[in-house]
Amino acid sequence: QVQLVESGGGLVQAGGSLRLSCAASGRTFSLAKMGWFRQAPGKEREFVARISWSGTTTSYGDSVTGRFTISRDNAKNGVYLQMNSLKPEDTAVYYCAADSRVRMSTSASAYGYWGQGTQVTVSS
């Protein structure tokens, strides 16, 4: 099993920045990819960003490209999401996800491990 714990959410004004962290523990040697998703009230869970376990391959959702950056810390088994130029529509619960399957995907169904989520609220 793998456990994921997110941190770093909070309240920020539009145009500001936040950095989310996700710490992975347990059978992390089995992991092939990690990602971030978000879910706003009344909406579907949305893909934000993903990264290979080696950190060499990344991709982003259209709504965050150019503003968000995903990165890995191999020594700490962590993944980070640097969020800049935040907008009110970025308000959501952000979830860290991971999986042992190599195939990179933007679908939530491709990730078997999930954190509990961290709230990000962007005020206008």
Side-chain angles (χ1 to χ4, degrees), residues 56-75:
T56 57
T57 304
T58 61
S59 64
Y60 299 89
D62 290 342
S63 61
V64 307
T65 297
R67 299 187 298 123
F68 290 11
T69 303
I70 189 170
S71 61
R72 281 269 296 119
D73 184 333
N74 289 331

PDB file of all heavy atoms in Angstrom, residues 56-75:
ATOM      1  N   THR A  56      11.060  12.965 -15.182  1.00  0.00           N
ATOM      2  CA  THR A  56      11.501  13.404 -16.507  1.00  0.00           C
ATOM      3  C   THR A  56      10.346  13.761 -17.434  1.00  0.00           C
ATOM      4  O   THR A  56      10.556  14.444 -18.440  1.00  0.00           O
ATOM      5  CB  THR A  56      12.360  12.321 -17.172  1.00  0.00           C
ATOM      6  OG1 THR A  56      11.609  11.108 -17.240  1.00  0.00           O
ATOM      7  CG2 THR A  56      13.626  12.075 -16.362  1.00  0.00           C
ATOM      8  N   THR A  57       9.162  13.306 -17.154  1.00  0.00           N
ATOM      9  CA  THR A  57       8.009  13.539 -18.032  1.00  0.00           C
ATOM     10  C   THR A  57       6.899  14.221 -17.257  1.00  0.00           C
ATOM     11  O   THR A  57       6.501  13.747 -16.198  1.00  0.00           O
ATOM     12  CB  THR A  57       7.490  12.213 -18.614  1.00  0.00           C
ATOM     13  OG1 THR A  57       8.535  11.544 -19.288  1.00  0.00           O
ATOM     14  CG2 THR A  57       6.337  12.476 -19.577  1.00  0.00           C
ATOM     15  N   THR A  58       6.420  15.341 -17.779  1.00  0.00           N
ATOM     16  CA  THR A  58       5.331  16.080 -17.145  1.00  0.00           C
ATOM     17  C   THR A  58       4.296  16.488 -18.189  1.00  0.00           C
ATOM     18  O   THR A  58       4.599  16.573 -19.377  1.00  0.00           O
ATOM     19  CB  THR A  58       5.831  17.350 -16.440  1.00  0.00           C
ATOM     20  OG1 THR A  58       6.432  18.215 -17.414  1.00  0.00           O
ATOM     21  CG2 THR A  58       6.855  17.026 -15.356  1.00  0.00           C
ATOM     22  N   SER A  59       3.094  16.735 -17.727  1.00  0.00           N
ATOM     23  CA  SER A  59       2.065  17.323 -18.577  1.00  0.00           C
ATOM     24  C   SER A  59       1.047  18.021 -17.696  1.00  0.00           C
ATOM     25  O   SER A  59       0.965  17.752 -16.486  1.00  0.00           O
ATOM     26  CB  SER A  59       1.401  16.279 -19.475  1.00  0.00           C
ATOM     27  OG  SER A  59       0.724  15.327 -18.695  1.00  0.00           O
ATOM     28  N   TYR A  60       0.275  18.933 -18.319  1.00  0.00           N
ATOM     29  CA  TYR A  60      -0.623  19.798 -17.570  1.00  0.00           C
ATOM     30  C   TYR A  60      -1.989  19.899 -18.239  1.00  0.00           C
ATOM     31  O   TYR A  60      -2.115  19.760 -19.455  1.00  0.00           O
ATOM     32  CB  TYR A  60      -0.018  21.201 -17.475  1.00  0.00           C
ATOM     33  CG  TYR A  60       1.295  21.232 -16.758  1.00  0.00           C
ATOM     34  CD1 TYR A  60       2.495  21.051 -17.434  1.00  0.00           C
ATOM     35  CD2 TYR A  60       1.343  21.429 -15.382  1.00  0.00           C
ATOM     36  CE1 TYR A  60       3.703  21.061 -16.769  1.00  0.00           C
ATOM     37  CE2 TYR A  60       2.545  21.454 -14.704  1.00  0.00           C
ATOM     38  CZ  TYR A  60       3.726  21.261 -15.408  1.00  0.00           C
ATOM     39  OH  TYR A  60       4.915  21.275 -14.732  1.00  0.00           O
ATOM     40  N   GLY A  61      -2.980  20.185 -17.416  1.00  0.00           N
ATOM     41  CA  GLY A  61      -4.286  20.488 -17.957  1.00  0.00           C
ATOM     42  C   GLY A  61      -4.272  21.839 -18.658  1.00  0.00           C
ATOM     43  O   GLY A  61      -3.482  22.721 -18.307  1.00  0.00           O
ATOM     44  N   ASP A  62      -5.159  22.009 -19.620  1.00  0.00           N
ATOM     45  CA  ASP A  62      -5.173  23.238 -20.411  1.00  0.00           C
ATOM     46  C   ASP A  62      -5.375  24.485 -19.541  1.00  0.00           C
ATOM     47  O   ASP A  62      -4.796  25.541 -19.814  1.00  0.00           O
ATOM     48  CB  ASP A  62      -6.279  23.170 -21.460  1.00  0.00           C
ATOM     49  CG  ASP A  62      -5.978  22.155 -22.552  1.00  0.00           C
ATOM     50  OD1 ASP A  62      -4.794  21.764 -22.702  1.00  0.00           O
ATOM     51  OD2 ASP A  62      -6.927  21.742 -23.249  1.00  0.00           O
ATOM     52  N   SER A  63      -6.180  24.366 -18.516  1.00  0.00           N
ATOM     53  CA  SER A  63      -6.527  25.540 -17.708  1.00  0.00           C
ATOM     54  C   SER A  63      -5.390  26.017 -16.802  1.00  0.00           C
ATOM     55  O   SER A  63      -5.463  27.136 -16.272  1.00  0.00           O
ATOM     56  CB  SER A  63      -7.764  25.246 -16.862  1.00  0.00           C
ATOM     57  OG  SER A  63      -7.518  24.164 -15.981  1.00  0.00           O
ATOM     58  N   VAL A  64      -4.356  25.209 -16.632  1.00  0.00           N
ATOM     59  CA  VAL A  64      -3.269  25.589 -15.724  1.00  0.00           C
ATOM     60  C   VAL A  64      -1.927  25.712 -16.423  1.00  0.00           C
ATOM     61  O   VAL A  64      -0.943  26.152 -15.816  1.00  0.00           O
ATOM     62  CB  VAL A  64      -3.140  24.607 -14.543  1.00  0.00           C
ATOM     63  CG1 VAL A  64      -4.469  24.446 -13.839  1.00  0.00           C
ATOM     64  CG2 VAL A  64      -2.594  23.260 -14.984  1.00  0.00           C
ATOM     65  N   THR A  65      -1.865  25.333 -17.676  1.00  0.00           N
ATOM     66  CA  THR A  65      -0.601  25.385 -18.416  1.00  0.00           C
ATOM     67  C   THR A  65      -0.037  26.795 -18.425  1.00  0.00           C
ATOM     68  O   THR A  65      -0.752  27.764 -18.699  1.00  0.00           O
ATOM     69  CB  THR A  65      -0.813  24.902 -19.860  1.00  0.00           C
ATOM     70  OG1 THR A  65      -1.228  23.534 -19.843  1.00  0.00           O
ATOM     71  CG2 THR A  65       0.477  25.005 -20.663  1.00  0.00           C
ATOM     72  N   GLY A  66       1.240  26.892 -18.075  1.00  0.00           N
ATOM     73  CA  GLY A  66       1.898  28.188 -18.021  1.00  0.00           C
ATOM     74  C   GLY A  66       1.825  28.865 -16.665  1.00  0.00           C
ATOM     75  O   GLY A  66       2.534  29.839 -16.405  1.00  0.00           O
ATOM     76  N   ARG A  67       0.961  28.361 -15.791  1.00  0.00           N
ATOM     77  CA  ARG A  67       0.815  28.959 -14.451  1.00  0.00           C
ATOM     78  C   ARG A  67       1.251  28.003 -13.341  1.00  0.00           C
ATOM     79  O   ARG A  67       1.758  28.443 -12.311  1.00  0.00           O
ATOM     80  CB  ARG A  67      -0.644  29.363 -14.211  1.00  0.00           C
ATOM     81  CG  ARG A  67      -1.171  30.391 -15.196  1.00  0.00           C
ATOM     82  CD  ARG A  67      -2.558  30.886 -14.799  1.00  0.00           C
ATOM     83  NE  ARG A  67      -3.553  29.809 -14.793  1.00  0.00           N
ATOM     84  CZ  ARG A  67      -4.291  29.482 -13.728  1.00  0.00           C
ATOM     85  NH1 ARG A  67      -4.145  30.133 -12.592  1.00  0.00           N
ATOM     86  NH2 ARG A  67      -5.179  28.504 -13.823  1.00  0.00           N
ATOM     87  N   PHE A  68       1.034  26.709 -13.548  1.00  0.00           N
ATOM     88  CA  PHE A  68       1.361  25.707 -12.534  1.00  0.00           C
ATOM     89  C   PHE A  68       2.571  24.896 -12.985  1.00  0.00           C
ATOM     90  O   PHE A  68       2.769  24.657 -14.181  1.00  0.00           O
ATOM     91  CB  PHE A  68       0.192  24.744 -12.326  1.00  0.00           C
ATOM     92  CG  PHE A  68      -1.014  25.345 -11.660  1.00  0.00           C
ATOM     93  CD1 PHE A  68      -1.163  26.710 -11.470  1.00  0.00           C
ATOM     94  CD2 PHE A  68      -2.048  24.520 -11.230  1.00  0.00           C
ATOM     95  CE1 PHE A  68      -2.277  27.250 -10.866  1.00  0.00           C
ATOM     96  CE2 PHE A  68      -3.175  25.040 -10.619  1.00  0.00           C
ATOM     97  CZ  PHE A  68      -3.285  26.407 -10.437  1.00  0.00           C
ATOM     98  N   THR A  69       3.349  24.435 -12.003  1.00  0.00           N
ATOM     99  CA  THR A  69       4.507  23.583 -12.279  1.00  0.00           C
ATOM    100  C   THR A  69       4.533  22.419 -11.305  1.00  0.00           C
ATOM    101  O   THR A  69       4.478  22.634 -10.092  1.00  0.00           O
ATOM    102  CB  THR A  69       5.818  24.371 -12.164  1.00  0.00           C
ATOM    103  OG1 THR A  69       5.792  25.490 -13.061  1.00  0.00           O
ATOM    104  CG2 THR A  69       7.011  23.485 -12.522  1.00  0.00           C
ATOM    105  N   ILE A  70       4.619  21.213 -11.847  1.00  0.00           N
ATOM    106  CA  ILE A  70       4.725  20.018 -11.004  1.00  0.00           C
ATOM    107  C   ILE A  70       6.185  19.584 -10.969  1.00  0.00           C
ATOM    108  O   ILE A  70       6.908  19.679 -11.966  1.00  0.00           O
ATOM    109  CB  ILE A  70       3.816  18.886 -11.534  1.00  0.00           C
ATOM    110  CG1 ILE A  70       3.748  17.725 -10.527  1.00  0.00           C
ATOM    111  CG2 ILE A  70       4.246  18.411 -12.909  1.00  0.00           C
ATOM    112  CD1 ILE A  70       2.682  16.688 -10.880  1.00  0.00           C
ATOM    113  N   SER A  71       6.622  19.107  -9.809  1.00  0.00           N
ATOM    114  CA  SER A  71       8.001  18.652  -9.681  1.00  0.00           C
ATOM    115  C   SER A  71       8.083  17.519  -8.666  1.00  0.00           C
ATOM    116  O   SER A  71       7.152  17.315  -7.876  1.00  0.00           O
ATOM    117  CB  SER A  71       8.913  19.808  -9.259  1.00  0.00           C
ATOM    118  OG  SER A  71       8.517  20.326  -8.009  1.00  0.00           O
ATOM    119  N   ARG A  72       9.204  16.808  -8.699  1.00  0.00           N
ATOM    120  CA  ARG A  72       9.417  15.658  -7.805  1.00  0.00           C
ATOM    121  C   ARG A  72      10.635  15.883  -6.937  1.00  0.00           C
ATOM    122  O   ARG A  72      11.577  16.561  -7.330  1.00  0.00           O
ATOM    123  CB  ARG A  72       9.645  14.404  -8.649  1.00  0.00           C
ATOM    124  CG  ARG A  72       8.411  13.786  -9.220  1.00  0.00           C
ATOM    125  CD  ARG A  72       7.829  12.742  -8.286  1.00  0.00           C
ATOM    126  NE  ARG A  72       8.771  11.640  -8.121  1.00  0.00           N
ATOM    127  CZ  ARG A  72       9.291  11.295  -6.977  1.00  0.00           C
ATOM    128  NH1 ARG A  72       8.968  11.949  -5.880  1.00  0.00           N
ATOM    129  NH2 ARG A  72      10.129  10.274  -6.884  1.00  0.00           N
ATOM    130  N   ASP A  73      10.605  15.284  -5.758  1.00  0.00           N
ATOM    131  CA  ASP A  73      11.770  15.228  -4.878  1.00  0.00           C
ATOM    132  C   ASP A  73      12.014  13.751  -4.595  1.00  0.00           C
ATOM    133  O   ASP A  73      11.337  13.168  -3.750  1.00  0.00           O
ATOM    134  CB  ASP A  73      11.515  16.010  -3.591  1.00  0.00           C
ATOM    135  CG  ASP A  73      12.741  16.042  -2.695  1.00  0.00           C
ATOM    136  OD1 ASP A  73      13.577  15.115  -2.760  1.00  0.00           O
ATOM    137  OD2 ASP A  73      12.863  17.007  -1.933  1.00  0.00           O
ATOM    138  N   ASN A  74      12.943  13.175  -5.316  1.00  0.00           N
ATOM    139  CA  ASN A  74      13.162  11.728  -5.188  1.00  0.00           C
ATOM    140  C   ASN A  74      13.614  11.340  -3.788  1.00  0.00           C
ATOM    141  O   ASN A  74      13.225  10.300  -3.265  1.00  0.00           O
ATOM    142  CB  ASN A  74      14.189  11.265  -6.221  1.00  0.00           C
ATOM    143  CG  ASN A  74      13.627  11.307  -7.632  1.00  0.00           C
ATOM    144  OD1 ASN A  74      12.428  11.156  -7.828  1.00  0.00           O
ATOM    145  ND2 ASN A  74      14.483  11.531  -8.607  1.00  0.00           N
ATOM    146  N   ALA A  75      14.427  12.178  -3.182  1.00  0.00           N
ATOM    147  CA  ALA A  75      14.954  11.854  -1.852  1.00  0.00           C
ATOM    148  C   ALA A  75      13.848  11.798  -0.797  1.00  0.00           C
ATOM    149  O   ALA A  75      13.926  11.022   0.157  1.00  0.00           O
ATOM    150  CB  ALA A  75      16.017  12.860  -1.456  1.00  0.00           C
TER     151      ALA A  75
END
